[in-house]
Amino acid sequence: MQRSIKALSIYSLSIAIVAVVTLFIKVPTMTGYSNLGGCFILIIATFVNPVAALFAGGIGSMFADILSGYVQWAIPTLIIKGSMGYIASLVLRKEWAEKKVPIKTLKIYFLATLMALYVVAGYLVFGIVVRGSVVGSLMQTTGLLVEAGVTVIAYIFLASALEKIDLKKYINLEE
């Protein structure tokens, strides 16, 4: 019973963190702004588990879309960011937690970058449906790539700091 309450609390908090960070922490860029939602999805993927990353990425990001007035993107975001969180957790957590690969390595940088590019590809595909044209979808590419870069850079800095304080011991769900 204790374990399930702890897991539910961590999953709920993960969803809330991603939603709030997506809505309120904006990084100015040359294309407008980027948010740090993707960064926190990768952090949850690394330090918690695939289920938390799936829920946080999908539901947290979907709530942010709905609350910010981008309802048309809610379902694509649920699918793209949820699956990104789940897949990222499978690969990043395996490298970091099981193989003990430190965050500050090219392998982790590469995997985080692949996950950020997965999101870009996902929005390009869904953009064709939502916008109704390939050209319309391609017009969002620059902004998506900038946000992918912000996501990876912020992830590297924040995840490295969290690794140093040994965050995993505070949120271990395997107990």
Side-chain angles (χ1 to χ4, degrees):
M1 181 71 168
Q2 262 323 51
R3 183 173 178 264
S4 63
I5 292 171
K6 182 178 181 180
L8 181 61
S9 299
I10 288 173
Y11 296 163
S12 300
L13 185 59
S14 297
I15 291 167
I17 287 170
V18 169
V20 168
V21 167
T22 301
L23 284 167
F24 298 112
I25 301 181
K26 300 186 187 314
V27 179
T29 65
M30 65 205 164
T31 60
Y33 72 86
S34 294
N35 65 66
L36 293 182
C39 165
F40 279 85
I41 295 167
L42 291 177
I43 287 171
I44 292 161
T46 303
F47 293 100
V48 186
N49 66 29
V51 175
L54 171 74
F55 290 159
I59 298 170
S61 299
M62 181 185 71
F63 281 160
D65 278 354
I66 292 168
L67 293 171
S68 61
Y70 294 99
V71 179
Q72 72 275 21
W73 290 100
I75 299 302
T77 293
L78 175 69
I79 295 166
I80 296 164
K81 297 280 182 98
S83 62
M84 182 271 262
Y86 188 81
I87 295 165
S89 190
L90 293 179
V91 295
L92 288 170
R93 194 168 160 70
K94 180 179 180 183
E95 293 301 317
W96 179 77
E98 293 175 24
K99 293 185 180 178
K100 307 291 186 215
V101 175
I103 299 292
K104 288 187 174 179
T105 60
L106 285 177
K107 189 170 196 174
I108 298 293
Y109 297 171
F110 176 74
L111 292 172
T113 301
L114 276 180
M115 292 296 94
L117 292 175
Y118 171 85
V119 170
V120 172
Y123 278 111
L124 287 174
V125 169
F126 275 102
I128 294 168
V129 175
V130 172
R131 296 181 186 273
S133 77
V134 174
V135 174
S137 184
L138 287 172
M139 288 175 55
Q140 65 186 350
T141 305
T142 304
L144 290 169
L145 289 171
V146 170
E147 186 160 322
V150 169
T151 293
V152 172
I153 291 167
Y155 166 75
I156 291 165
F157 284 108
L158 289 172
S160 296
L162 294 171
E163 179 181 45
K164 284 185 181 179
I165 65 165
D166 197 17
L167 178 68
K168 185 180 178 199
K169 74 179 178 184
Y170 299 108
I171 56 174
N172 186 2
L173 292 176
E174 280 89 41
E175 301 175 338

